[in-house]
Amino acid sequence: MGSLLEIQNLKVKFYLDRHVITAVQGVNLELRAGETLVLAGESGSGKSVTALAVTRILPVNARVFSGKVIFKGRDLLSLDESSLSGVRGKEIAYIFQEPSGALNPVYTVGNQLIEPFILHQGKSPGQARREAEFLLSLVKIGDVKRVMESYPHQLSGGMNQRVFIAMSLACNPQILIADEPTTALDVTIEAEILKLLVELKKKIGFSLLFITHNLSIARRIAGRVCVMYKGSVVEEGGIEDIFNSPKHFHTRDLVSAYEKIGKI
Ligand SMILES: Nc1ncnc2c1ncn2[C@@H]1O[C@H](COP(=O)(O)OP(=O)(O)OP(=O)(O)O)[C@@H](O)[C@H]1O
Ligand SMILES: [Mg+2]
């Protein structure tokens, strides 16, 4: 498998009132075409900051201090803003933990799904509606018409996450970055969403970078795992190697947490 995205020596710092924190300390990471790579690690280890840096959607007080993000021969970190906006959310899409924060509460799901097709892809309202309905059926929403007419607060968390996944797929991304997309959901819904992501990946063919602190999820979806600890990647390997012979003590901690609680 060829490399699709290469993060090279990424360093990200946060500038606070009185001091500077280096949240990501020289990360190297390769996402290969068609694979599922899990980025694991304890809370605060730098997983989200690494993911957000890829398309430069970091918080305002963060700065990329050094590094490159190579995608299709270009360094996204040195791309001008208008070229990058053609990649962000389109070729590289995201889903996050809280879909409710990403969906607009004052528009119906249908309007939110339809609008980008009209504005960015120049489709007619009728075509845009059909595209939106197709996306909802792709994420296995049965009652498409009702969901199109609903506002996000009228839907369950799991349903909103499906809607958000549908939205992220609108531009047919090559890479989907999923940052703890099931953490806010109960375990049954979590299992359904994971299954859905695996199916969509197979069907659409995007590469999946999946972020989690929970190795039981990694075991259900991953081919390869990178483990982060305090801003660095400390271990990388096939999922079974990670479980059978973890080398770094933090990987061992994650595996023993899985063995205590995670076998679901
Ligand atoms: N908005 C912020 N302001 C200041 N520092 C931040 C901010 N966001 C993140 N950091 C710093 O960056 C580090 C890495 O944060 P990050 O959000 O990447 O962790 P994470 O691995 O995604 O954790 P979690 O599993 O809790 O989501 C944090 O420990 C913190 O020091
Ligand atoms: Mg995070």
Side-chain angles (χ1 to χ4, degrees):
M1 278 192 285
S3 164
L4 185 58
L5 186 81
E6 246 181 272
I7 299 176
Q8 298 171 351
N9 190 30
L10 178 70
K11 288 194 183 128
V12 181
K13 299 190 180 202
F14 280 91
Y15 293 83
L16 307 175
D17 282 349
R18 286 161 194 277
H19 59 291
V20 177
I21 296 171
T22 307
V24 175
Q25 324 227 17
V27 159
N28 293 294
L29 204 76
E30 182 198 24
L31 180 67
R32 299 171 190 157
E35 79 167 337
T36 297
L37 176 66
V38 166
L39 191 55
E42 66 178 1
S43 182
S45 57
K47 306 180 298 295
S48 296
V49 171
T50 299
L52 297 174
V54 166
T55 63
R56 305 199 320 238
I57 50 173
L58 290 162
V60 285
N61 60 336
R63 292 279 175 283
V64 173
F65 186 72
S66 73
K68 290 183 176 174
V69 174
I70 307 295
F71 175 60
K72 298 209 286 195
R74 297 187 295 182
D75 176 15
L76 300 184
L77 298 184
S78 56
L79 220 55
D80 62 82
E81 187 52 38
S82 76
S83 310
L84 188 61
S85 70
V87 175
R88 181 192 294 142
K90 300 181 180 80
E91 290 178 288
I92 302 179
Y94 291 84
I95 53 176
F96 298 103
Q97 183 171 332
E98 275 298 334
S100 47
L103 297 171
N104 191 326
V106 302
Y107 293 108
T108 62
V109 162
N111 283 339
Q112 293 182 61
L113 277 170
I114 286 169
E115 191 187 78
F117 285 112
I118 298 176
L119 287 183
H120 305 307
Q121 297 186 25
K123 306 242 155 118
S124 71
Q127 277 173 326
R129 173 166 293 276
R130 281 192 292 282
E131 297 273 6
E133 289 176 353
F134 172 72
L135 284 176
L136 290 181
S137 64
L138 206 59
V139 297
K140 303 259 167 72
I141 286 177
D143 199 355
V144 168
K145 293 268 189 284
R146 181 184 66 88
V147 171
M148 289 281 280
E149 266 142 45
S150 300
Y151 291 89
H153 73 268
Q154 295 172 315
L155 300 171
S156 67
M159 198 62 117
N160 275 326
Q161 191 59 291
R162 280 175 199 270
V163 169
F164 194 59
I165 294 170
M167 236 177 227
S168 74
L169 298 176
C171 292
N172 210 1
Q174 281 175 268
I175 296 175
L176 183 64
I177 299 179
D179 191 350
E180 312 246 14
T182 60
T183 310
L185 306 173
D186 71 49
V187 288
T188 333
I189 309 295
E190 170 171 75
E192 286 174 13
I193 297 286
L194 290 176
K195 189 163 160 257
L196 175 68
L197 283 173
V198 171
E199 281 173 23
L200 289 170
K201 179 179 168 291
K202 220 178 260 171
K203 197 180 231 166
I204 298 171
F206 52 76
S207 302
L208 180 60
L209 178 61
F210 194 102
I211 296 174
T212 181
H213 56 269
N214 180 346
L215 279 190
S216 84
I217 292 183
R219 196 161 219 181
R220 281 184 279 172
I221 62 165
R224 226 153 49 85
V225 179
C226 284
V227 177
M228 281 190 80
Y229 181 68
K230 292 195 188 309
S232 300
V233 173
V234 293
E235 184 156 356
E236 185 195 330
I239 181 73
E240 290 312 318
D241 296 338
I242 291 284
F243 271 96
N244 296 332
S245 51
K247 292 181 184 65
H248 192 273
F249 74 88
H250 184 54
T251 313
R252 288 199 289 273
D253 284 349
L254 292 175
V255 170
S256 59
Y258 163 81
E259 281 168 349
K260 281 197 200 94
I261 54 157
K263 286 181 184 166
I264 40 174

